[in-house]
Amino acid sequence: MIETQWKIVENLEISQAIITAIQPYIEPLNLQNSEGKYIAQLLQQRGITEPQKIAGFLDPNYYKPVSPFEFGQEMKLAINRLLKARNQEEKIAIWGDFDADGITSTSVLWEGLGQFFKQEENLTYYIPNRLTESHGLNEMGITKLKAENISLIVTCDTGSTNLQEIEFAQTLGIDIIVTDHHTLPDDRPPVISILNPRYFASTHPLFHLSGVAVAYKLIEALYLTYPQIPQQPLENLLDLVAIGLIADLVSLEGDCRYLAQKGLEQLQKQSEPLTSNRPGVTKLLKYCNKTGDRPTDISFGIGPRINAVSRIHGDGHFGVELLTSTDQKKCEELALHTELANSRRKEIQQNTLKNVKKKLEQLDLSTTSVIVLADSQWQGGVLGLVAGQIAQEYGRPTVLLSYSEEKNKDEPILARGSARSIQSINLYDLVNSQAHLLDRFGGHPFAAGLSLPLENIELFKEGMNQQLRQNYHLNFETLKPIITADLTVTVAELENNKGKDLFRELKLLEPCGMGNPAPKLLLKNCRFTNVWNKNIEDFKGGEVKYIRTFFKIWDQTAKNGFEGIWWGHYSEEISQNKRYDVIVELDYNTYKYKGYSHNYQNDYKIRIIDLKESLPNYQDYPLFQSQNNIVDYRREQIRETEELTGIIVNKCPLSWAEIKQHYQKAKQLDQSLTLAYPETQIEAPEIIWQKLIGIAKYLSRTGEKTTLEKIKEKLNLSDRSLNLGLQSLEKLGFRCHSQLNSLQITKDTNSSTSKNLSLNQFIAVVREEQFKLKYFYHIPLTTVQNILYYED
């Protein structure tokens, strides 16, 4: 696992223009503590400083969306071909995709084109099976549509690079209109029209449109061209657009942000049965305890549920029915099926993640630039999710593949899977460099889907690693995931009404996502209490193997502490005897947790993004204020009855009486540190050594594994002292096998124990670390003025 890098954003001087521009949005909030300083700081950081841009960013009613005819001739060609199909009563098919963007794209076209064509009679839709067909057009599906007398296919969220399949459709007399947002081929495909925002410059307001937003633009153009035909308002589609946009993790800039904002307004109406025209969406919101007013209601609620159906069952067709049907009973059945699939998805994802990490223990990551793994037991539907987790955790592009061991006659076994990238590595280009080994693939710079013959995997792996090393010359230490903390706050600023004010102020930035990340808050030098974990429950109260940890966080400003959650982590990962710096997001929680003293519903909480262990800051203690202090502790031997005590002085004592006074100060400091920081209580190094031997004996006897982190925490050791301890164990005949963070210890019964020459060094280093931890950590040593050497 690779460590993260933290980037702490410094507070900027706020311009008066920003302060003035945000007042119309701050005043209605009646904030008691901030007066808009946080939102002003964030807008300044993100370069949104002009009053007109601030207004358009915070309020969609002040943003001027771009016309759909910005697509130029391609849009005109698409409209003309659809008009011809309507006039000649042709049968047309929507070709969608099975993820949330593809399902919502299909739903938008189904309802939108349904205003111009009779559904079922002249309009149908086709969605490939996630587990057997993969993304994009395919000849089998096209042949099936030809048998149904389809003469025009309108794709959504797919099709740009399916050149062979497009040519095959032409031989059958089928025209194709492509609406898509994925990477473009070198040459324009031979289609009637291709609507793809990748043809625009990267600064264009439409460049970041997802598949559902491109589909919406096509329908918008039809509404503008033939306004007398549609019977339903165009705005009715915006909730579907918001779901697809936010679930697909596109950059929420320009028209993307505008459509997401307007769509969330529409989605919020679906949470109440009396105002809802989508009973399926209403039921989904009820299952995930959301109201539809926040982007996280989609990214952590509706989106994963829509995706779960095809991830588990392959077929995503009824996702469209769930989103578009007005049949209450049918939607309840479909929503229940979706909820069960999502619970199952979480379990499979967790189990697959564990399995992938076990395989990674066998790899030498020092020579691995791209992670490529395959297994016949993996569920293909969750591989994209797991690949994304592994890529971020290990700091390497990751490709995960699954395959069936059953071989069809005269056909190679195909491995299918997903790839995810990191930071500046263009995954599409990387995979495309090995196109000669692939059956098919598609995607964009950060994500791709692919299939290839099983026998080509090793060549593919070698080629990907070679290509990355040649073209990027990367040092993976510099590619550690970067987490940016936008604001530094205290726990006191979260407690009581202050936290509510902060949340309401930060909510002005929503919808957040790529291009406009949710604000991250840094809490420094914190401790945790009431730490516990449990698996989540499904809607029936059944346990789902997906862990989360609850806690209360404190710092020196806190009066009541503040509650929070850490998804996907166990309580053992947080020590209640240590101090941490923590990066969090502030969230509004609508979950109810059984067996807990507080009902989280209608409450605010923090969600941990990352944490790192911190140590006491000398500035909190008057005795540590001097910039010119130094301790010289010269005795090499310490009797077991003596305390490890150093004395910090600014002026050399002139008498034994002064020495005694300093000694009493040191004793008082010892007591104050022990009370404030329980982690500074120490054991004799010899006792720690005996405990380390006990752990080694237990692990060698049982064959179990542990982690280096657990041993360091249990014995309060650093990397340096633990390494010396393991070397000392080797001298006693133990064999220590560590890979990544995993440790296995065995006993070499044939070896004879020798004098442990490194034990003295281990004990000396432990003693030094204990001394620094207890008295001396973070004290600036700018100059050496006075040194006190003493003997009791």
Side-chain angles (χ1 to χ4, degrees):
M1 184 172 66
I2 194 166
E3 294 183 1
T4 55
Q5 299 181 76
W6 286 10
K7 179 182 178 183
I8 314 301
V9 180
E10 295 183 2
N11 286 344
L12 304 172
E13 184 177 349
I14 306 302
S15 71
Q16 187 58 44
I18 294 180
I19 299 295
T20 303
I22 64 174
Q23 289 312 303
Y25 309 100
I26 292 297
E27 289 173 0
L29 299 180
N30 295 317
L31 302 178
Q32 301 298 314
N33 304 288
S34 162
E35 298 180 349
K37 66 177 182 180
Y38 297 113
I39 189 71
Q41 184 67 226
L42 291 165
L43 290 171
Q44 181 97 345
Q45 289 174 9
R46 298 175 187 205
I48 305 168
T49 57
E50 299 175 15
Q52 186 176 358
K53 287 186 177 180
I54 291 174
F57 184 83
L58 298 179
D59 187 346
N61 295 319
Y62 284 94
Y63 179 84
K64 185 178 180 180
V66 177
S67 166
F69 293 102
E70 193 80 4
F71 283 94
Q73 186 65 20
E74 296 290 353
M75 183 63 80
K76 293 178 182 178
L77 290 171
I79 297 298
N80 291 339
R81 181 64 182 88
L82 288 168
L83 177 61
K84 177 184 175 183
R86 173 182 164 83
N87 292 337
Q88 297 183 1
E89 297 186 349
E90 294 180 56
K91 295 187 69 175
I92 70 175
I94 303 161
W95 188 294
D97 198 20
F98 40 69
D99 64 9
D101 191 25
I103 295 294
T104 53
S105 300
T106 306
S107 300
V108 164
L109 291 181
W110 177 247
E111 289 192 356
L113 292 177
Q115 298 296 306
F116 299 85
F117 298 87
K118 295 179 181 179
Q119 292 178 339
E120 305 294 351
E121 185 176 333
N122 294 100
L123 182 66
T124 187
Y125 59 86
Y126 183 93
I127 298 175
N129 187 294
R130 184 191 286 263
L131 303 180
T132 61
E133 294 181 75
S134 191
H135 295 274
L137 295 163
N138 63 69
E139 294 184 4
M140 180 185 70
I142 294 171
T143 302
K144 180 180 178 181
L145 292 178
K146 178 61 180 178
E148 298 174 7
N149 296 319
I150 299 297
S151 57
L152 174 63
I153 292 175
V154 181
T155 76
C156 52
D157 194 33
T158 194
S160 292
T161 58
N162 296 139
L163 303 183
Q164 180 178 326
E165 290 77 12
I166 290 170
E167 292 175 356
F168 175 76
Q170 287 180 328
T171 64
L172 300 180
I174 298 177
D175 290 337
I176 292 182
I177 295 172
V178 170
T179 73
D180 191 13
H181 72 118
H182 292 96
T183 303
L184 293 165
D186 293 334
D187 299 317
R188 183 187 183 278
V191 293
I192 296 296
S193 169
I194 177 169
L195 304 176
N196 190 320
R198 296 285 171 177
Y199 282 115
F200 294 120
S202 60
T203 55
H204 195 282
L206 299 181
F207 179 78
H208 294 291
L209 294 183
S210 72
V212 68
V214 179
Y216 175 82
K217 285 295 183 182
L218 173 60
I219 301 303
E220 183 183 9
L222 277 171
Y223 268 65
L224 291 173
T225 306
Y226 305 105
Q228 71 283 3
I229 297 177
Q231 301 299 307
Q232 295 294 326
L234 179 65
E235 292 75 20
N236 282 6
L237 301 175
L238 285 172
D239 51 354
L240 299 176
V241 176
I243 293 171
L245 267 171
I246 293 170
D248 206 49
L249 302 178
V250 296
S251 187
L252 295 178
E253 304 174 47
D255 274 40
C256 285
R257 178 174 174 82
Y258 167 80
L259 291 171
Q261 286 172 311
K262 301 299 286 187
L264 284 169
E265 292 176 4
Q266 188 75 13
L267 181 63
Q268 195 171 1
K269 299 176 183 178
Q270 309 301 345
S271 64
E272 296 293 336
L274 293 179
T275 58
S276 173
N277 63 336
R278 300 191 189 280
V281 175
T282 304
K283 198 66 178 179
L284 288 179
L285 286 170
K286 183 179 179 181
Y287 274 128
C288 54
N289 293 321
K290 302 296 183 182
T291 59
D293 67 323
R294 302 199 58 218
T296 50
D297 296 354
I298 296 171
S299 54
F300 297 140
I302 296 177
R305 284 165 171 78
I306 294 174
N307 275 320
V309 178
S310 62
R311 292 188 191 280
I312 300 303
H313 303 294
D315 185 8
H317 274 80
F318 81 70
V320 177
E321 189 173 359
L322 174 63
L323 295 180
T324 61
S325 174
T326 57
D327 185 328
Q328 290 275 356
K329 185 176 180 180
K330 183 67 174 177
C331 285
E332 285 186 10
E333 294 176 0
L334 295 174
L336 172 61
H337 191 61
T338 302
E339 185 67 15
L340 292 171
N342 191 50
S343 297
R344 178 64 179 147
R345 184 272 305 173
K346 291 176 182 178
E347 286 194 21
I348 294 175
Q349 182 180 345
Q350 284 292 93
N351 292 335
T352 304
L353 181 63
K354 290 179 182 178
N355 192 270
V356 170
K357 288 186 175 181
K358 285 184 179 180
K359 286 182 177 287
L360 287 172
E361 291 177 3
Q362 311 303 317
L363 289 182
D364 181 2
L365 290 178
S366 66
T367 60
T368 302
S369 301
V370 182
I371 294 172
V372 180
L373 296 172
D375 196 293
S376 62
Q377 302 301 311
W378 290 341
Q379 175 90 354
V382 302
L383 292 185
L385 297 173
V386 178
Q389 289 177 279
I390 294 296
Q392 290 304 310
E393 194 169 333
Y394 289 83
R396 289 158 173 76
T398 300
V399 183
L400 300 180
L401 302 160
S402 63
Y403 57 91
S404 172
E405 294 180 340
E406 297 181 6
K407 183 177 181 180
N408 295 326
K409 187 178 180 180
D410 300 327
E411 292 184 9
I413 296 176
L414 286 181
R416 294 184 174 89
S418 297
R420 296 293 184 269
S421 192
I422 57 169
Q423 294 189 34
S424 59
I425 298 176
N426 189 314
L427 184 65
Y428 185 89
D429 290 345
L430 193 61
V431 176
N432 192 34
S433 70
Q434 308 303 309
H436 59 287
L437 298 173
L438 304 178
D439 175 61
R440 59 188 299 158
F441 87 100
H444 50 76
F446 292 102
L450 68 156
S451 61
L452 73 163
L454 185 63
E455 60 191 24
N456 288 356
I457 290 179
E458 284 304 314
L459 290 174
F460 175 75
K461 183 192 304 182
E462 293 175 8
M464 290 276 282
N465 276 276
Q466 184 178 11
Q467 186 75 13
L468 187 64
R469 286 191 291 266
Q470 287 179 350
N471 291 344
Y472 285 88
H473 307 290
L474 295 175
N475 173 7
F476 282 97
E477 277 300 305
T478 65
L479 281 179
K480 293 178 181 179
I482 297 174
I483 299 176
T484 299
D486 304 284
L487 301 169
T488 300
V489 299
T490 64
V491 176
E493 292 176 88
L494 303 178
E495 293 175 326
N496 303 324
N497 288 330
K498 292 182 179 180
K500 185 177 180 180
D501 280 357
L502 179 57
F503 172 84
R504 292 165 64 213
E505 185 176 341
L506 297 184
K507 194 174 184 293
L508 290 173
L509 280 180
E510 293 185 349
C512 295
M514 290 184 65
N516 182 43
K520 293 180 176 55
L521 314 178
L522 173 63
L523 296 163
K524 300 173 72 173
N525 203 25
C526 300
R527 61 186 177 89
F528 291 87
T529 61
N530 302 343
V531 182
W532 61 284
N533 64 251
K534 67 176 296 186
N535 285 313
I536 64 173
E537 297 176 352
D538 61 25
F539 68 101
K540 293 182 178 180
E543 188 175 86
V544 179
K545 292 182 179 179
Y546 196 89
I547 201 70
R548 77 268 201 238
T549 288
F550 304 97
F551 57 83
K552 182 174 278 191
I553 192 170
W554 305 75
D555 66 8
Q556 62 183 6
T557 70
K559 294 182 179 179
N560 305 309
F562 198 74
E563 291 170 339
I565 191 169
W566 197 12
W567 285 96
H569 292 266
Y570 291 86
S571 58
E572 291 81 4
E573 298 178 58
I574 297 177
S575 172
Q576 298 189 56
N577 294 322
K578 291 186 177 181
R579 296 270 173 159
Y580 295 92
D581 294 337
V582 192
I583 294 180
V584 304
E585 289 181 7
L586 186 60
D587 202 4
Y588 185 77
N589 192 10
T590 54
Y591 285 95
K592 293 181 179 179
Y593 298 117
K594 296 180 180 178
Y596 194 51
S597 59
H598 295 274
N599 187 332
Y600 267 116
Q601 195 167 18
N602 301 324
D603 207 1
Y604 297 91
K605 66 179 177 65
I606 56 172
R607 182 173 65 250
I608 290 182
I609 305 300
D610 197 17
L611 58 76
K612 294 183 178 181
E613 187 178 338
S614 60
L615 288 167
N617 191 330
Y618 77 97
Q619 292 179 347
D620 296 334
Y621 295 92
L623 284 173
F624 285 176
Q625 293 293 334
S626 172
Q627 299 293 305
N628 303 309
N629 295 336
I630 190 165
V631 168
D632 180 22
Y633 196 89
R634 301 185 181 185
R635 292 183 303 166
E636 296 181 356
Q637 300 297 324
I638 300 177
R639 294 186 297 274
E640 291 184 4
T641 57
E642 290 181 335
E643 294 178 313
L644 186 63
T645 305
I647 299 176
I648 302 174
V649 297
N650 289 315
K651 186 177 180 181
C652 188
L654 301 177
S655 68
W656 285 107
E658 286 190 42
I659 292 177
K660 288 180 180 180
Q661 290 177 358
H662 286 300
Y663 186 78
Q664 290 302 318
K665 283 187 177 181
K667 296 286 286 186
Q668 293 170 8
L669 175 61
D670 180 29
Q671 294 170 2
S672 65
L673 280 175
T674 300
L675 289 173
Y677 295 95
E679 63 269 30
T680 62
Q681 299 183 42
I682 59 175
E683 293 180 311
E686 292 81 3
I687 294 177
I688 293 175
W689 168 244
Q690 292 301 323
K691 287 186 175 182
L692 183 59
I693 292 178
I695 292 172
K697 288 179 177 179
Y698 174 80
L699 294 177
S700 64
R701 183 176 69 254
T702 62
E704 295 181 11
K705 292 182 180 180
T706 187
T707 65
L708 299 175
E709 290 299 324
K710 284 184 178 179
I711 294 181
K712 287 194 293 183
E713 180 175 341
K714 185 175 182 63
L715 303 181
N716 203 14
L717 299 175
S718 70
D719 290 333
R720 177 189 176 199
S721 56
L722 178 57
N723 186 48
L724 286 171
L726 295 179
Q727 291 178 20
S728 299
L729 290 176
E730 295 271 356
K731 300 288 186 180
L732 293 179
F734 290 99
R735 294 293 174 261
C736 304
H737 313 279
S738 63
Q739 189 164 24
L740 297 178
N741 193 36
S742 177
L743 176 66
Q744 184 176 21
I745 298 179
T746 59
K747 190 74 166 69
D748 188 352
T749 55
N750 297 323
S751 68
S752 58
T753 58
S754 60
K755 186 177 180 181
N756 195 355
L757 299 178
S758 60
L759 176 58
N760 291 338
Q761 187 179 4
F762 167 74
I763 291 176
V765 169
V766 172
R767 196 167 277 148
E768 175 190 349
E769 290 175 352
Q770 290 175 338
F771 179 73
K772 288 181 178 179
L773 175 63
K774 197 161 188 178
Y775 298 114
F776 203 45
Y777 213 91
H778 284 182
I779 301 176
L781 303 178
T782 54
T783 61
V784 179
Q785 284 191 336
N786 302 301
I787 297 176
L788 171 62
Y789 171 72
Y790 73 95
E791 283 282 359
D792 290 340

